[in-house]
Amino acid sequence: MPSSGPAEPKRTTNQGDQPLTLDRLRQLVRQDWAGLPGKTLVVLSGGTEGNRYSPFSTYSRGRYAPIHGLTGTVYPLESELAEDCELRALFPQIPDNAVAALVLYPLD
């Protein structure tokens, strides 16, 4: 595991960080995500308690590695690390068990 802590992942903005509608979700699945491998893991930012809810707003692609059970950390893609020396300094080592992931973030 890397010794540095997780940084705020780079997020792809959907319509200015507004709640995402089903129409937009369908568009993302058909167009933006259509080329992703079928085994790409979908990771949600949040918990399982079910005591707070927020609309889905943004997403990013990255690599996910579990730390405790199914809770884990998202790491940058190799292409992002290759382009950004500051990002490489934040993530000097990516765990071997990190897998490709589509990460969904809530509005709040």
Side-chain angles (χ1 to χ4, degrees), residues 36-88:
L36 294 177
K39 292 185 178 185
T40 300
L41 186 64
V42 177
V43 178
L44 300 176
S45 174
T48 61
E49 294 84 19
N51 54 9
R52 278 189 68 201
Y53 299 92
S54 181
F56 165 36
S57 178
T58 59
Y59 65 93
S60 69
R61 291 185 52 211
R63 291 178 291 169
Y64 167 82
I67 295 175
H68 303 288
L70 294 177
T71 301
T73 299
V74 173
Y75 298 91
L77 297 170
E78 288 289 338
S79 58
E80 294 171 323
L81 291 172
E83 295 173 3
D84 189 333
C85 63
E86 290 180 16
L87 201 55
R88 284 193 304 273

Side-chain angles (χ1 to χ4, degrees), residues 16-36:
D17 283 348
Q18 297 177 6
L20 190 116
T21 63
L22 183 55
D23 283 342
R24 178 67 175 129
L25 181 60
R26 287 177 176 145
Q27 178 185 11
L28 289 169
V29 169
R30 283 193 305 262
Q31 296 174 8
D32 297 36
W33 301 340
L36 294 177

